[in-house]
Amino acid sequence: MTIKNLDNRGLVRVKAAVFLTALLPFAKLAVAAYADELGANPIEKMTHVTGFWALSFLLITLTITPLRRLSGCLWLMRLRRMLGVFAFFYAALHFATYLVLDQFFDWPAIAKDILKRPYITIGFSAFVVLIPLALTSNDAIIRRLGGKRWRALHRLTYPCAIAGVVHFGWLVKKDLTRPIMFALVLALLLGMRVAYRLAGNRTAHQKAV
Amino acid sequence: MKPYKPPAIPSSEITPQALFQARRKFMQTAGGAALAAVWPQALWAMDNLGELGKSKYSAADELTPRRDVTQYNNFYEFGTSKDQPAINAGTLQTRPWTITVEGEVKKAQVFDIDKLLKMAALEERVYRLRCVEAWSMVVPWVGYSLAELLKRVEPTGNAKFVEFVSLHDPAQMPGQKAAVLDWPYREGLRMDEAMHPLTLLTFGLYGEVLPKQNGAPVRIVTPWKYGFKSAKSIVKIRLVEQQPLTSWMKAGPGEYGFYANVNPEVDHPRWSQAKERRIGEFLKRKTLMFNGYTDEVAALYAGMDLQRNF
């Protein structure tokens, strides 16, 4: 067994390790909330932490394909679904924090926010689009949909990630450092895909000639 | 016999000047800490501001715990997140400190901070503080009306506005190394707002000298305006004829106006100002016009369009 060819037992171990690691931010947040160590404004803190990790996991999910190409480790693809579902998990916590703790089911205020505040409009839209992606993250559905349609649907991850970064950038008061860092990473990840596609077309073209 | 030649010292062995001075600084700090350890009473006593007068302007609201008031701060000079000021403000030197008062005045003066502390009777004033980010606190400030200071310099008829300038020194204020705002921080008030008895020249909170992260050694507090109007760590007060351009107006002209009066009906372009979260409370509460100081200040804005003059 090498790093490029992981056997099933190796893969199970890697998956377990990734799963536990991905739960760490949630565990840390839960412990801090229980110990009342989230600072003066715990609801704001929870909103920021869950939002940060939702966006981070979305970007981590998008690193899998380029990483596989660079390293040649095909088994990396087997982690992608779990990472994507974690992105949804943190996004759902983020939305739940807003709905329950921040607004406390004040539906008129929420409706107004979604319609009038562009950063909430775009963030909420991204969350809504993530729902079908999370629901279609299992083998049975992939088989039912067929690989081609499933892939087309899951390309919505790209606009979701862009929307997530814009959502972050639009809400900060002045210091754009962190949103810009996310934007640069996302630009790199999307840029690599464009580059691969262009390179792929060229080789295909050369072969045809 | 060969004459003795001292061996050449490799440049790698030479202590850089900055490091050398840093060691000196460290020894001074260590010396100070040792002194504090053997003489703690005297140093703590300096923090307490003593007997304070009560004020008719104090609000009856429940106080926000001191811990939250001093750990959750917007003070970009020490970083843009709320916990950074408490962590980073240790580098601020609050003595010696002076405020220069100049411009359209008959008696321009430089006031020493220790003189200012004794210039008028210190009062405790419990004020509501509403941040433009839609959270709020209740803070027992200590100080006296800014009018006490302004009348001593005798403003001329041309003094229409007051500009406050905060300290600009990136060595003491590490947040100024980033160009988040155009430093130094500048704020301003119209003359009648500055002379209003609610406008507090503030030296302390909870009966003690202002913690550095709260704008030590001296700041302004205007409780009916969003928090950013209350300039911290001020070194200069200029009386001027034209409306000054404040740091936040420069940073976002469409988002932050000169008046910045708390107003639940005028939203920030990106978020609602109708409600606020009082630190320590779970449910949001409704934001009050002029932060609940309508009786005191509404007359200042009679006939003004507050949607336009936000």
Side-chain angles (χ1 to χ4, degrees):
Chain A
M1 189 178 84
T2 65
I3 186 129
K4 277 198 181 178
N5 305 298
L6 214 56
D7 61 16
N8 268 336
R9 261 181 60 202
L11 185 67
V12 168
R13 278 193 203 139
V14 170
K15 273 187 160 181
V18 171
F19 183 85
L20 292 175
T21 313
L23 268 181
L24 273 182
F26 174 68
K28 219 182 128 198
L29 189 65
V31 168
Y34 182 75
D36 195 16
E37 278 170 3
L38 289 175
N41 198 344
I43 297 172
E44 179 191 61
K45 183 90 182 173
M46 282 173 78
T47 312
H48 288 175
V49 170
T50 50
F52 175 85
W53 285 106
L55 197 49
S56 297
F57 274 102
L58 213 46
L59 296 196
I60 291 169
T61 309
L62 290 179
T63 55
I64 292 293
T65 299
L67 212 58
R68 185 209 67 199
R69 282 190 175 246
L70 291 172
S71 68
C73 299
L74 293 176
W75 54 267
L76 280 170
M77 295 306 278
R78 309 274 297 269
L79 299 175
R80 191 173 65 175
R81 177 193 294 168
M82 181 165 59
L83 291 165
V85 173
F86 264 110
F88 179 73
F89 171 68
Y90 283 105
L93 282 177
H94 183 61
F95 179 69
T97 309
Y98 168 77
L99 180 71
V100 183
L101 301 180
D102 191 54
Q103 299 291 332
F104 199 66
F105 307 106
D106 183 348
W107 299 110
I110 293 169
K112 210 175 143 200
D113 259 0
I114 292 174
L115 294 174
K116 269 187 76 178
R117 317 277 161 219
Y119 84 92
I120 293 183
T121 314
I122 197 163
F124 179 73
S125 312
F127 176 67
V128 170
V129 173
L130 281 180
I131 296 171
L133 302 194
L135 291 177
T136 54
S137 288
N138 64 73
D139 290 339
I141 294 221
I142 297 177
R143 244 173 281 132
R144 257 197 25 217
L145 278 174
K148 207 171 169 185
R149 272 193 291 173
W150 184 88
R151 273 196 299 278
L153 178 65
H154 280 250
R155 271 189 208 111
L156 287 172
T157 313
Y158 306 137
C160 279
I162 294 169
V165 172
V166 172
H167 167 70
F168 192 12
W170 273 349
L171 74 90
V172 296
K173 201 161 98 189
K174 193 71 187 64
D175 186 0
L176 281 166
T177 318
R178 293 224 286 184
I180 287 173
M181 266 155 47
F182 274 109
L184 290 176
V185 172
L186 180 61
L188 177 72
L189 293 172
L190 296 181
M192 283 172 88
R193 284 171 166 78
V194 173
Y196 286 138
R197 174 153 291 203
L198 291 177
N201 284 348
R202 200 173 306 132
T203 41
H205 184 69
Q206 278 164 356
K207 269 179 200 155
V209 174
Chain B
M1 205 177 136
K2 260 189 6 201
Y4 174 73
K5 256 181 36 200
I9 303 168
S11 62
S12 62
E13 296 274 312
I14 298 169
T15 306
Q17 192 184 4
L19 202 60
F20 177 77
Q21 279 165 346
R23 280 181 201 159
R24 221 180 242 200
K25 181 101 190 142
F26 173 76
M27 291 313 288
Q28 283 166 353
T29 315
L35 187 70
V38 294
W39 197 23
Q41 286 301 317
L43 286 173
W44 294 134
M46 273 167 49
D47 280 350
N48 193 309
L49 288 169
E51 264 320 276
L52 302 170
K54 290 274 161 261
S55 168
K56 61 172 177 168
Y57 293 112
S58 276
D61 301 45
E62 191 188 332
L63 298 184
T64 302
R66 188 182 193 281
R67 184 168 170 266
D68 291 339
V69 172
T70 57
Q71 307 280 317
Y72 188 76
N73 308 102
N74 267 330
F75 198 173
Y76 280 15
E77 281 84 340
F78 298 105
T80 54
S81 76
K82 304 274 191 305
D83 51 349
Q84 280 173 327
I87 297 166
N88 296 335
T91 42
L92 179 68
Q93 300 294 319
T94 56
R95 291 293 186 287
W97 192 282
T98 57
I99 297 186
T100 306
V101 188
E102 60 181 33
E104 297 290 346
V105 294
K106 290 195 194 100
K107 292 183 178 168
Q109 279 179 68
V110 179
F111 293 91
D112 185 79
I113 183 71
D114 292 308
K115 191 186 157 203
L116 280 174
L117 273 161
K118 294 183 200 110
M119 209 166 72
L122 294 176
E123 291 177 8
E124 176 163 90
R125 297 224 192 148
V126 178
Y127 280 168
R128 290 177 288 274
L129 166 76
R130 170 62 156 80
C131 178
V132 72
E133 296 164 3
W135 54 266
S136 65
M137 287 184 178
V138 181
V139 186
W141 301 108
V142 179
Y144 49 77
S145 293
L146 175 66
E148 292 285 343
L149 172 67
L150 294 181
K151 69 187 183 197
R152 281 175 169 78
V153 294
E154 297 177 25
T156 69
N158 289 334
K160 301 283 192 310
F161 293 91
V162 182
E163 183 185 45
F164 306 98
V165 185
S166 299
L167 179 69
H168 185 203
D169 181 359
Q172 291 187 57
M173 297 179 144
Q176 290 178 335
K177 287 171 190 159
V180 201
L181 292 170
D182 187 7
W183 308 113
Y185 193 88
R186 288 171 199 277
E187 255 309 332
L189 294 170
R190 214 169 57 190
M191 197 62 195
D192 55 348
E193 297 176 324
M195 292 299 287
H196 193 283
L198 272 178
T199 301
L200 195 69
L201 191 65
T202 308
F203 303 93
L205 57 81
Y206 268 101
E208 293 183 348
V209 163
L210 275 179
K212 291 175 177 177
Q213 63 269 30
N214 291 88
V218 55
R219 62 173 293 171
I220 300 297
V221 177
T222 44
W224 72 95
K225 293 173 177 285
Y226 293 118
F228 69 86
K229 287 300 290 182
S230 299
K232 304 183 185 87
S233 304
I234 50 178
V235 293
K236 194 181 279 187
I237 298 178
R238 294 177 60 225
L239 288 89
V240 291
E241 195 168 3
Q242 301 295 323
Q243 178 177 299
L245 187 58
T246 70
S247 294
W248 278 104
M249 288 168 79
K250 241 186 212 176
E255 300 194 330
Y256 307 99
F258 178 76
Y259 287 94
N261 291 319
V262 175
N263 188 342
E265 277 144 40
V266 179
D267 285 340
H268 185 281
R270 288 182 287 154
W271 58 81
S272 165
Q273 295 291 24
K275 289 201 269 180
E276 69 200 47
R277 172 160 290 112
R278 177 73 52 89
I279 296 302
E281 291 180 355
F282 174 69
L283 289 178
K284 287 187 175 174
R285 51 165 74 207
K286 284 204 161 82
T287 289
L288 303 173
M289 187 66 202
F290 296 118
N291 203 21
Y293 295 95
T294 302
D295 289 349
E296 289 86 354
V297 301
L300 296 175
Y301 311 103
M304 261 177 77
D305 181 349
L306 297 177
Q307 296 276 341
R308 280 188 56 224
N309 297 288
F310 59 90

